[in-house]
């Protein structure tokens, strides 16, 4: 069959399309974004009527996917690792409701935090929810797992977690397609109360989940994605999870002398580990992300054989793995190139020249001067780059939506006025509920919703907020007198500064909405218009 | 046969176009390919790189090990130096000499040029000028691809075909411009290798 060259993310989307999916649900987030973007570009997905619209946030996406599963069709929800925190309530409870149509949850982790606030490991969530987990080692497996993951989910009546990391998500390679399956027709769950998590039903469902654990173990033991590859040199036995397997094999072009467990389906297949442990003098665990498998193997008291990995310093405790780190952990000497000369300077990302956020920060910095520093709570998006010179304008960036709510708490503590800076997409992701809190308490805060009509940071996806922000604010109860729309352009700098200064002086909730389209999104839109 | 290439530049300079072109040509020839890209935050004017690996055998790692790259192909001179730890002792640095200066502490140009001059294996060309001279100032990235082409173990015709695949829908003029840029880069590099 034909071979495609796909990013890991794209392979997942194509695998799901060929595996009979009926709906993709997602909120953008690096490194998961390209799954949905591929589904939106795919002509096949269009012809098949597969749903592929962005959701407001990861929780709404997760719940919509669960709803599709309830109605008997196959669904996938995709997010970056921290998105799984937002979706966690729905995610964990979905393992208790179980599924009807197959449900795959894709969570893309970002070890080394290339574009993230932390490097949390989604496998913890899979463990916590007690569901099967798939961790592809390459693009082909990413495709295959998305294809067969639905069946796995339906067979055990639970969602399946598909965990990838940045490197696989954003690397291309050849992918062979499998059979193209039809979508399911749709059907109600056999038990009409399966999804009603009243305590009495939830207890019953939870028992079911506990009872299938041995079967999930058996599935891992028999999975074609897990392999026991024996070797003659038993001084070390290696467990290589997901993509770490590639870094290992890169160091052994003529075959690895040590026994290896190639681990790509969880729960961890126990008989494999027993065999490795009994056969070998020491164990080495290679895993991208947190030392999860390693910790389990060591146990709390660590009284067994030596388990090497991130916890005993054989590998760094944090950051992404790579072939050189794996080589070092095995005592292999790689001759590296010369160091880069000292004159090579860091080149941090920055706001584009001509970006409206720049004008917003220039006006805010001037308006806030009389009150002193340390009172601007920002959020996540391109505008977070306002933390860097020359703006040095913001004092926090924690999680999506935290700007408004942190400003509330700081104002409660006496930091008045407190300011929140939030983007349009982040506002509809999880800023609206915080603004309602502020209205109810009449907090003395000024909320700047820097509206560039797009989800800029992740590449310019459509924003749910488009054309709706003033009405949303009014609807939430903000006094219309204190909802101000400004045009963030240099020529209006003085006017804009005055408006912000006036709202800072207002002792209550005010909202300032600088409105100008992201220049990158505008350029893309014009190019697309020219093509049509 | 295996070629490991680090592509380097600044977000927005078009290194992914170079990667896509080499990738397409390689896949047409049924070679194995892995190409790790940078998406996300760094694309806003930060340093970006792509690890491109081509081989007639299975490739494992998406990342090139340090000390293994055959080529550093950079569209910006300081960025070329950033990835030296990846270069093998016999590898080549092929770089544009035109700086992209968007930071306050960018090194002195003379010092930078001296560093590049001091490299044992290098090809440094002014790709911006070459592109401008052929009337296609936006194709400096393809000029750099041309400069690297004789190191790639991929025929120039195969790269041309790839450019066709990538740009045909934008019209003949754009395709021809890019092919012209490809050859201009190749010629400039050949001149330096004489
Ligand atoms: C829970 C969560 N989901 C997704 C992301 C990824 N993310 C970071 S910024 C951003 C978009 C912000 O868009 P907007 O608020 O409109 O600001 P802009 O980048 O356009 O300035 C996204 C999706 C994240 N960091 N956390
Ligand atoms: S991508 Fe858009 S929002 Fe982000 S910095 Fe550039 S112009 Fe501003």
């Amino acid at each position: 069959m034909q071979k495609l060259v796909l990013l890991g993310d794209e392979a997942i989307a194509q695998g799901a399309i060929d595996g009979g999916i009926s709906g993709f649900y997602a909120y953008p987030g690096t490194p998961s974004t390209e799954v949905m973007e591929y589904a939106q570009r795919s002509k096949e997905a269009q012809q098949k009527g597969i749903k592929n619209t962005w959701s407001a946030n990861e929780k709404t996406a997760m719940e919509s996917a669960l709803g599709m599963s309830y109605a008997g069709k196959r669904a996938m929800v995709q997010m970056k690792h921290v998105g799984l925190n937002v979706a966690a309530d729905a995610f964990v409870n979905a393992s208790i409701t179980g599924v009807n149509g197959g449900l795959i949850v894709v969570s893309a982790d970002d070890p080394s935090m290339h574009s993230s606030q932390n490097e949390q490991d989604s496998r913890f969530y899979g463990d916590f929810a007690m569901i099967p987990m798939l961790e592809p080692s390459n693009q082909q497996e990413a495709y295959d797992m998305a294809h067969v993951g639905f069946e796995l989910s339906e067979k055990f009546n639970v969602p399946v977690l598909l965990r990838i990391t940045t490197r696989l998500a954003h690397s291309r390679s050849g992918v062979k397609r499998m059979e193209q399956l039809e979508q399911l027709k749709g059907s109600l769950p056999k038990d009409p109360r399966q999804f009603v998590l009243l305590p009495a039903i939830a207890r019953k469902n939870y028992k079911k989940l506990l009872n299938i654990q041995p079967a999930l173990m058996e599935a891992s033991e028999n999975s074609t994605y897990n392999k026991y590859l024996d070797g003659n040199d038993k001084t070390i036995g290696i467990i290589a999870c997901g993509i770490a397997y590639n870094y290992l094999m890169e160091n052994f072009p003529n075959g690895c002398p040590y026994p290896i467990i190639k681990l790509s389906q969880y729960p961890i297949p126990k008989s494999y580990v027993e065999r490795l442990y009994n056969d070998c003098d020491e164990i080495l665990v290679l895993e991208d992300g947190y030392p999860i498998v390693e910790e389990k193997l060591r146990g709390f008291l660590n009284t067994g054989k030596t388990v090497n990995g991130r916890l005993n310093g054989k590998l760094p405790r944090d950051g992404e793995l790579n072939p050189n780190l794996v080589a070092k952990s095995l005592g292999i000497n790689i001759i590296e190139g010369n160091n880069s000369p000292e004159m090579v300077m860091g080149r941090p990302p920055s706001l584009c020249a001509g970006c409206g956020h720049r004008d917003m920060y220039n006006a805010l910095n001037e308006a806030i001067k009389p009150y002193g520093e340390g009172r601007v709570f920002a959020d996540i998006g391109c505008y977070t780059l306002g933390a860097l010179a020359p703006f040095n304008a913001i004092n926090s960036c924690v999680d999506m939506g935290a700007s408004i709510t942190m400003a509330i708490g700081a104002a409660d503590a006496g930091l008045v006025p407190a300011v929140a800076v939030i983007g349009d997409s982040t506002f509809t992701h999880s800023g609206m509920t915080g603004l309602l809190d502020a209205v109810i308490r009449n907090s003395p805060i000024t909320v700047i919703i820097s509206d560039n009509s797009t989800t800029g940071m992740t590449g310019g996806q459509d924003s749910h907020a488009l054309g709706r922000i003033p009405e949303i604010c009014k609807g939430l109860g903000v006094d219309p007198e204190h909802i101000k729309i400004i045009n963030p352009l240099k020529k209006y700098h003085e006017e804009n500064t005055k408006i912000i200064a006036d709202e800072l002086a207002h002792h209550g909730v005010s909202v300032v909405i600088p409105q100008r389209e992201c220049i990158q999104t505008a350029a893309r839109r014009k190019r697309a218009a020219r093509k049509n | 046969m295996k070629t490991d290439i680090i592509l380097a530049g600044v977000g927005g300079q078009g290194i992914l176009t170079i990667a896509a072109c080499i990738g397409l040509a390689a896949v047409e020839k049924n070679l194995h390919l892995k190409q790790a890209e940078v998406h996300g935050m760094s694309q806003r004017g930060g340093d970006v790189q792509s690890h491109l690996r081509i081989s007639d055998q299975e490739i494992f790692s998406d990342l090139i090990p340090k000390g293994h790259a055959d080529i550093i192909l950079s569209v910006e001179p300081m960025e070329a130096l950033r990835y030296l730890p990846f270069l093998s002792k016999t590898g080549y640095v092929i770089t544009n000499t035109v700086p992209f200066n968007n930071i306050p502490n960018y090194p002195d140009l003379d010092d930078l040029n001296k560093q590049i001059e001091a490299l044992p294996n290098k090809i440094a060309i002014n790709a911006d000028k070459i592109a401008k001279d052929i009337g296609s100032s936006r194709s400096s990235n393809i000029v750099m691809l041309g400069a690297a082409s004789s190191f790639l173990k991929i025929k120039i015709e195969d790269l041309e075909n790839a450019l066709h695949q990538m740009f045909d829908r934008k019209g003949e003029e754009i395709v021809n411009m890019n092919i012209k840029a490809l050859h201009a880069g190749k010629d400039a590099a050949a001149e330096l290798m004489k």
Side-chain angles (χ1 to χ4, degrees):
Chain A
M1 230 183 193
Q2 104 204 73
K3 206 164 184 180
L4 302 169
V5 177
L6 300 175
L7 295 176
D9 275 351
E10 296 174 342
I12 289 173
Q14 186 66 53
I17 292 168
D18 294 346
I21 194 174
S22 295
F24 290 92
Y25 298 89
Y27 181 74
T30 315
S32 69
T33 311
E34 292 79 6
V35 181
M36 181 65 106
E37 289 188 329
Y38 185 89
Q40 293 182 338
R41 274 199 316 273
S42 161
K43 294 224 167 66
E44 282 168 66
Q46 262 160 40
Q47 280 156 8
K48 294 179 172 177
I50 296 169
K51 303 285 181 208
N52 55 9
T53 308
W54 293 110
S55 300
N57 64 38
E58 292 84 355
K59 179 174 182 286
T60 65
M62 174 78 216
E63 290 154 351
S64 303
L66 186 63
M68 178 168 271
S69 163
Y70 169 94
K73 295 196 176 184
R74 293 179 165 180
M76 177 180 274
V77 50
Q78 313 92 239
M79 61 198 74
K80 72 181 289 165
H81 58 343
V82 289
L84 194 48
N85 298 335
V86 176
D89 199 4
F91 172 77
V92 175
N93 286 312
S95 77
I96 312 288
T97 61
V99 303
N100 185 18
L103 175 58
I104 300 177
V105 181
V106 178
S107 185
D109 293 354
D110 191 17
S112 279
M113 305 179 223
H114 300 282
S115 297
S116 306
Q117 315 100 286
N118 72 30
E119 59 173 29
Q120 65 183 64
D121 192 317
S122 297
R123 293 177 300 167
F124 268 114
Y125 273 109
D127 246 9
F128 186 37
M130 292 183 279
I131 60 175
M133 256 188 299
L134 300 170
E135 190 187 8
S137 68
N138 59 32
Q139 292 78 356
Q140 184 66 54
E141 278 186 353
Y143 171 92
D144 295 349
M145 288 173 172
H147 194 290
V148 303
F150 294 119
E151 223 180 277
L152 187 66
S153 164
E154 285 157 11
K155 180 171 174 196
F156 293 107
N157 184 29
V158 282
V160 168
L161 181 64
L162 177 52
R163 184 243 186 183
I164 54 168
T165 54
T166 305
R167 209 44 74 181
L168 180 57
H170 289 164
S171 175
R172 276 174 216 285
S173 193
V175 171
K176 272 203 234 58
R177 292 176 68 176
M178 297 169 35
E179 185 191 354
Q180 297 182 35
L181 305 180
E182 291 294 320
Q183 294 179 49
L184 301 185
K185 298 226 157 50
S187 62
L188 291 176
K190 278 190 210 83
D191 172 2
R193 300 205 299 177
Q194 178 191 334
F195 285 77
V196 187
L197 293 187
L198 277 168
I201 302 168
R203 277 183 219 114
K204 219 173 69 206
N205 284 7
Y206 182 50
K207 277 255 172 22
K208 267 194 210 150
L209 180 63
L210 294 175
N211 288 339
I212 63 163
Q213 296 304 309
L216 297 184
M217 175 62 78
E218 198 185 318
S220 279
E221 306 256 358
N222 296 326
S223 165
T224 51
Y225 304 118
N226 291 334
K227 292 196 176 80
Y228 194 100
L229 306 161
D230 207 1
N232 291 329
D233 186 343
K234 314 279 194 223
T235 51
I236 312 174
I238 303 172
I239 301 180
C241 308
I243 199 168
Y245 176 72
N246 299 342
Y247 301 144
L248 174 65
M249 296 313 288
E250 180 72 25
N251 285 294
F252 295 106
N254 304 316
C256 178
Y258 310 113
I260 305 170
I261 297 175
K262 176 191 171 295
L263 179 55
S264 280
Q265 180 169 337
Y266 302 74
I268 306 166
K270 197 163 178 196
S271 68
Y272 288 43
V273 177
E274 277 167 354
R275 181 174 165 198
L276 194 78
Y277 191 87
N278 291 334
D279 277 8
C280 301
D281 301 342
E282 292 187 8
I283 305 291
L284 171 67
V285 184
L286 305 172
E287 50 193 329
D288 223 350
Y290 285 13
I292 293 180
V293 173
E294 187 183 343
E295 210 154 26
K296 285 194 185 194
L297 251 66
R298 292 180 135 218
F300 187 63
L301 296 177
N302 190 25
T303 47
K305 286 184 180 172
T306 304
V307 178
N308 298 295
R310 290 183 183 272
L311 292 171
N312 75 343
K314 274 277 175 194
L315 289 159
R317 176 62 182 81
D318 60 340
E320 191 183 6
L321 292 182
N322 61 46
N324 297 73
L325 289 173
V326 171
K328 269 184 208 143
S329 75
L330 284 161
I332 300 170
N333 184 25
I334 295 189
I335 300 165
E336 300 189 355
N338 296 329
N339 290 337
S340 55
E342 263 169 37
M343 67 165 60
V344 176
M345 294 295 147
R347 204 190 286 263
S350 57
L351 291 168
C352 301
C355 172
H357 295 320
R358 286 178 173 268
D359 302 282
M360 176 273 291
Y361 278 128
N362 284 333
L364 173 62
N365 275 351
E366 195 169 325
I368 208 166
K369 236 187 225 141
Y371 300 99
E373 291 181 344
R375 57 184 71 245
V376 180
F377 301 88
D379 229 297
I380 307 192
C382 283
Y383 52 95
T384 314
L385 296 169
L388 309 177
F391 305 105
N392 305 312
I394 65 170
N395 308 108
S396 76
C397 155
V398 182
D399 65 271
M400 290 188 79
S403 57
I404 300 177
T405 30
M406 281 182 71
I408 293 174
D412 279 353
L415 195 63
V416 178
V419 178
V421 176
I422 185 168
D424 52 315
S425 180
T426 304
F427 179 65
T428 45
H429 177 285
S430 50
M432 299 189 296
T433 43
L435 186 57
L436 182 59
D437 275 353
V439 167
I440 300 284
R441 313 158 83 97
N442 194 29
S443 298
I445 66 171
T446 300
V447 179
I448 298 181
I449 306 176
S450 199
D451 178 10
N452 57 4
S453 313
T454 196
T455 316
M457 181 53 108
T458 44
Q461 296 77 21
D462 292 343
S463 165
H464 276 33
L466 189 62
R468 298 192 168 85
I469 295 176
E471 293 307 315
I472 291 173
C473 295
K474 273 182 223 160
L476 290 172
V478 181
D479 177 358
E481 296 269 300
H482 292 283
I483 299 175
K484 300 281 165 65
I485 297 173
I486 64 175
N487 186 350
L489 275 172
K490 207 166 178 185
K491 60 180 172 185
Y492 303 123
H493 174 74
E494 259 139 62
E495 194 180 322
N496 292 344
T497 305
K498 172 145 193 336
I499 291 172
I500 295 175
D502 287 350
E503 293 311 324
L504 288 174
H506 167 63
H507 203 86
V509 180
S510 51
V511 175
V512 179
I513 310 168
Q515 235 165 22
R516 178 154 72 81
E517 189 176 13
C518 157
I519 55 173
Q520 304 287 359
T521 299
R524 224 181 350 261
R525 198 165 45 74
K526 278 177 200 145
R527 275 199 301 272
R530 236 179 290 136
K531 229 193 290 172
N532 294 332
Chain B
M1 187 287 277
K2 176 145 152 261
T3 314
D4 284 342
I5 310 163
I6 302 265
L7 292 161
V10 180
Q13 277 194 307
I15 67 163
L16 290 186
T17 309
I18 302 179
C21 183
I22 301 175
L24 268 176
V27 170
E28 282 292 313
K29 291 284 141 197
N30 278 322
L31 295 169
H32 292 269
L33 164 85
K34 281 213 168 170
Q35 185 213 326
E37 308 177 349
V38 173
H39 293 216
M41 190 118 178
S42 308
Q43 285 178 305
R44 306 270 153 279
D47 55 277
V48 291
Q49 98 299 95
S50 170
H51 290 221
L52 181 59
R53 317 190 74 187
I54 302 165
S55 176
D56 52 7
Q57 319 233 317
E58 182 177 8
I59 305 166
F60 282 103
S61 172
D62 297 85
L63 291 174
I64 298 169
K66 285 190 187 143
H68 273 235
D70 301 295
I71 304 168
I72 292 174
L73 173 52
S74 181
V75 292
E76 206 276 350
M78 184 180 82
E79 294 306 324
L81 299 177
R82 191 185 301 283
Y83 303 99
L84 287 182
F86 285 92
L87 194 63
S88 88
K89 295 294 175 207
T90 54
Y92 260 81
V93 172
I94 302 172
T95 184
N96 187 5
T97 55
V98 182
F100 188 101
N101 188 344
N102 63 346
I103 48 172
N105 48 357
Y106 195 89
D108 179 77
L109 275 191
D110 285 340
D111 292 347
L112 184 60
N113 287 333
K114 271 188 212 138
Q115 281 280 356
I116 290 173
E117 264 319 298
L119 296 169
N121 303 319
K122 77 269 163 186
I123 290 176
I125 60 172
N126 185 329
D128 290 38
K129 178 162 185 304
I130 295 170
K132 205 165 157 205
D133 287 349
I134 59 165
S136 176
S137 50
R138 288 177 56 192
S139 306
S140 60
N141 56 341
I142 304 298
V143 171
M144 287 314 303
L145 170 61
S149 59
S150 54
F151 294 82
L152 292 178
K153 298 171 203 143
I154 291 177
K155 288 205 208 92
I156 192 100
E157 300 84 60
D158 294 331
L159 292 174
E160 285 178 14
N161 284 337
L163 286 173
H164 269 291
Q165 280 190 45
M166 289 165 66
F167 294 112
D168 267 351
R169 61 193 166 84
K170 294 192 175 175
E172 206 174 331
E173 201 180 327
I174 303 265
V175 178
N176 290 338
M177 272 298 177
N178 279 301
I179 290 178
K180 214 164 142 189
L182 185 73
H183 282 275
K186 183 174 159 51
D187 294 345
E191 194 62 34
L192 287 177
M193 296 287 284
K194 262 185 195 161

